[in-house]
């Protein structure tokens, strides 16, 4: 039994993915042998309905000066974050002539750039020095530290209360969630908003997108669990907005209790989640069965293709792919290499299964028979870019089910 990080009730795992490496731990050839593995299991707390990893590696093992994920590499994400900034400005900053915006985990500045360009007072909090440096080069003010209660307190003393605290694909990474929420409560202005988005549990269950489960993602949020969490810190979930990013995300708007009246969407989403069974143990047992089927289907397809003597290359060395490769036991035998546009990943090996990561040029110059779409969350952007490949060759996806297209 483990203790829920939110409500401290006891809970048990419903699925075990076996030993998993650091999902973004791309390694050079000469470091094989020194890799860290942890037992990756997920559980559902029957009291507050938070779905969470049982164990997680330490934050310093995941976020450091060589963090290989740069948000701005995707053009669609740049547009998405510009719209996020505009929405916040329109809905929450108008009442203050000199508003202050804080972002938790600003990475290379993809979101804050939109505020910095308008000379809006801002602060990015980003512990991974290499990506933080890229943000600073864009004229963004960054503190290279981990956000927590202590930093929130210092930030309020130094800069004043925040009208908006924003975050994307970060809060679900942080196990010390009580320190985050009490920090937000400390830093937030009276009418301030805490708006954050993360991959949505409802989509993961619906699409069997188990690859969203990896070391960095300790929480899989829903309106059910987030409303419980907010309430515990004298905050309130005032609105929710589904997002198409990362294969299905949800944006949660949280404010001080009573500062705004909650939109009807919140209650509606909670009702829908209950209808989907996100509050029931059976739902998670069914998910486990779906995951096992997905594994069998993918492995048999790749083995069949190999027997036919055809080539398969992975497209996008995503952090998500680490779970798929290690859980399904897929290595170089079945996938020749993975093509990725991130220079820091190229020339290295995939975590755990050691498939070589090569540049995009190597894909373009010698098309394989099949491309296994690990970056399925960027499908639209990639299909636009790869019309030529798609004319003569095939794609493989595993979300929502294993399929050739
Ligand atoms: N917001 C960006 C980046 C997401 S990647 C986007 O959506 O594309 C997750 C980021 O969170 C990493 O850059 C990591 O360094 C940062 N991070 C992890 N723990 C953090 C913490 N406690 N406080 C602030 N940032 C954190
Ligand atoms: P993400 O799923 O975490 O956003 O990571 C996407 C990864 O896929 C990242 O390493 C960059 C890579 N990628 C490509 O190689 N080609 C592309 O066209 C896109 C959109 C991403
Ligand atoms: Zn709980």
């Amino acid at each position: 039994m483990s203790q829920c990080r939110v409500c401290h009730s006891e809970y048990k795992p419903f699925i075990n993915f076996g030993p998993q490496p650091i999902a973004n731990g791309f390694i050079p050839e000469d470091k094989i042998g020194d890799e860290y593995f942890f037992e990756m299991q997920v559980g559902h707390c029957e009291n507050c309905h938070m779905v969470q990893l049982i164990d997680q590696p330490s934050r310093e093992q995941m976020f450091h000066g060589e963090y290989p994920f740069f948000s701005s590499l995707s053009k669609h994400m740049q547009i998405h974050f510009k719209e996020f900034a505009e929405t916040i400005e329109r809905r929450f900053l108008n009442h203050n002539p000199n508003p202050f915006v804080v972002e938790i985990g600003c990475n290379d500045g993809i979101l804050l750039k939109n505020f910095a360009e308008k000379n809006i007072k801002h602060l990015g909090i980003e512990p991974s020095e290499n990506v933080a440096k890229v943000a600073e080069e864009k004229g963004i003010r960054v503190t290279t530290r981990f956000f927590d209660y202590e930093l929130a307190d210092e930030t309020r003393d130094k800069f004043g209360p925040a009208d908006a605290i924003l975050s994307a694909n970060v809060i679900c990474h942080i196990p010390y969630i009580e320190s985050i929420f009490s920090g937000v409560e400390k830093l937030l202005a009276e009418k301030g908003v805490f708006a954050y988005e993360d991959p949505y549990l409802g989509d993961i269950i619906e699409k069997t997108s188990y690859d969203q489960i990896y070391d960095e993602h300790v929480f899989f949020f829903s309106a059910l669990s987030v409303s419980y969490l907010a309430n515990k810190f004298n905050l309130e979930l005032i609105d929710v907005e589904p997002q198409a990013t990362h294969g299905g995300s949800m944006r949660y708007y949280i404010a001080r209790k009573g500062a705004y009246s909650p939109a009807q969407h919140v209650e509606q989403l909670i009702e829908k989640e209950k209808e989907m069974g996100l509050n029931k143990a059976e739902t998670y047992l069914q998910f486990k069965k779906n995951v096992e089927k997905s594994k069998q289907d993918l492995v048999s397809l790749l083995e069949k293709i190999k027997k036919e003597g055809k080539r398969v290359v992975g497209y996008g060395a995503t952090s998500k792919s680490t779970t798929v490769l290690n859980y399904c036991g897929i290595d170089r035998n079945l996938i020749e290499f993975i093509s990725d546009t991130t220079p820091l990943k190229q020339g290295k090996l995939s975590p755990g299964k050691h498939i070589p990561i090569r540049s995009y040029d190597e894909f373009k110059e010698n098309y394989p028979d099949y491309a296994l779409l690990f970056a399925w969350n960027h499908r639209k952007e990639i299909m636009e870019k790869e019309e030529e490949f798609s004319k003569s060759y095939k794609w493989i996806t595993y979300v929502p089910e294993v399929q050739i297209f």
Side-chain angles (χ1 to χ4, degrees), residues 4-9 11 45-50 52 228:
C4 170
R5 294 172 180 87
V6 174
C7 74
H8 306 281
S9 304
Y11 75 105
C45 169
E46 291 188 18
N47 179 47
C48 73
H49 303 305
M50 187 63 85
Q52 57 203 300
Y228 182 100

Side-chain angles (χ1 to χ4, degrees), residues 103-123:
E103 188 187 0
I104 304 174
C106 68
N107 198 273
D108 61 10
I110 190 167
L111 171 62
L112 278 187
K113 164 177 169 282
N114 298 290
F115 295 100
E117 280 169 4
K118 293 185 178 168
N119 286 320
I120 293 175
K121 184 173 142 193
H122 65 272
L123 178 69

Side-chain angles (χ1 to χ4, degrees), residues 8-278:
H8 306 281
S9 304
E10 305 252 287
Y11 75 105
K12 289 193 304 257
F14 61 81
I15 193 165
N16 185 342
F17 290 94
Q20 291 281 338
I22 302 290
N24 267 311
F26 295 89
I27 54 164
E29 194 96 46
D30 60 5
K31 287 267 166 62
I32 291 185
D34 306 347
E35 259 177 310
Y36 173 87
F37 287 86
F38 75 109
E39 195 75 5
M40 193 168 83
Q41 305 182 78
V42 187
H44 160 242
C45 169
E46 291 188 18
N47 179 47
C48 73
H49 303 305
M50 187 63 85
V51 173
Q52 57 203 300
L53 284 186
I54 305 291
D55 295 313
Q56 195 191 28
S58 78
R59 62 188 194 181
E60 288 78 12
Q61 279 172 297
M62 300 184 287
F63 310 114
H64 43 65
E66 283 183 73
Y67 186 63
F69 178 74
F70 293 79
S71 307
S72 299
L73 281 179
S74 159
K75 294 224 166 58
H76 278 217
M77 291 308 281
Q78 292 183 24
I79 297 166
H80 170 77
F81 283 118
K82 185 162 188 285
E83 287 168 359
F84 189 178
E86 285 164 1
T87 304
I88 293 300
E89 220 187 319
R90 193 177 62 241
R91 286 183 63 177
F92 297 100
L93 301 185
N94 278 335
H95 64 278
N96 186 345
N98 185 23
F100 176 39
V101 177
V102 173
E103 188 187 0
I104 304 174
C106 68
N107 198 273
D108 61 10
I110 190 167
L111 171 62
L112 278 187
K113 164 177 169 282
N114 298 290
F115 295 100
E117 280 169 4
K118 293 185 178 168
N119 286 320
I120 293 175
K121 184 173 142 193
H122 65 272
L123 178 69
I125 295 164
E126 176 48 68
S128 298
E129 297 95 352
N130 60 329
V131 295
K133 192 158 160 274
V134 178
E136 280 174 336
E137 284 160 1
K138 294 178 183 158
I140 294 163
R141 189 207 305 265
V142 186
T143 296
T144 312
R145 283 172 59 185
F146 287 94
F147 181 82
D148 57 11
Y149 178 80
E150 201 188 328
L151 183 56
D153 194 22
E154 282 174 41
T155 304
R156 188 177 174 121
D157 282 348
K158 204 161 153 195
F159 299 95
D163 299 282
I165 302 176
L166 309 178
S167 197
N169 310 303
V170 177
I171 303 303
C172 72
H173 293 55
I174 310 181
Y176 38 103
I177 190 82
E178 294 182 305
S179 175
I180 299 300
F181 270 69
S182 57
V184 163
E185 200 276 328
K186 180 83 196 177
L187 180 57
L188 210 57
E190 281 312 304
K191 293 286 273 181
V193 70
F194 172 36
Y196 80 88
E197 56 189 47
D198 272 312
Y200 177 53
L201 177 66
D203 284 290
I204 296 172
I205 297 294
E206 214 169 75
K207 298 177 190 161
T208 316
S209 45
Y210 69 90
D211 57 349
Q212 293 288 4
I213 303 169
Y214 55 89
D215 59 355
E216 293 179 23
H217 291 171
V218 64
F219 292 118
F220 304 92
F221 294 118
S222 59
L224 272 166
S225 60
V226 173
S227 60
Y228 182 100
L229 183 54
N231 195 45
K232 209 179 142 181
F233 292 90
N234 233 350
L235 301 166
E236 189 171 28
L237 181 59
I238 58 163
D239 206 355
V240 285
E241 251 173 30
Q243 307 292 326
T245 50
H246 289 292
S249 296
M250 190 63 69
R251 185 181 298 158
Y252 306 96
Y253 293 88
I254 293 167
R256 290 188 183 282
K257 246 179 219 167
Y260 295 88
S261 51
Q264 276 191 346
H265 296 137
V266 177
E267 229 5 82
Q268 286 164 355
L269 184 61
I270 290 177
E271 273 317 302
K272 193 174 151 205
E273 289 176 351
K274 288 182 181 160
E275 278 163 29
M276 265 188 87
L278 296 187

Side-chain angles (χ1 to χ4, degrees), residues 281-333:
E282 301 98 84
T283 307
Y284 300 100
L285 295 175
Q286 183 58 48
F287 173 74
K288 176 176 188 268
K289 286 189 191 145
N290 298 346
V291 171
E292 286 163 356
K293 176 171 190 310
S294 176
K295 169 180 174 171
Q296 279 168 8
D297 290 352
L298 183 60
V299 173
S300 21
L301 177 63
L302 293 176
E303 282 172 349
K304 177 170 160 273
I305 293 173
K306 189 181 162 75
K307 276 203 197 109
E308 291 165 359
K310 302 262 170 66
R311 294 174 59 219
V312 183
V313 162
Y315 196 102
T318 56
S319 13
K320 296 189 289 297
S321 66
T322 297
T323 298
V324 176
L325 296 170
N326 287 279
Y327 171 64
C328 298
I330 297 168
D331 59 16
R332 266 169 131 134
N333 237 320

Side-chain angles (χ1 to χ4, degrees), residues 69 73-74 246 315-320 339-342 345 375 377-378 381-382 385:
F69 178 74
L73 281 179
S74 159
H246 289 292
Y315 196 102
T318 56
S319 13
K320 296 189 289 297
S339 147
D340 196 283
T341 50
T342 317
K345 295 181 186 176
N377 49 312
H378 300 285
E381 177 170 356
I382 292 169
K385 196 160 100 182

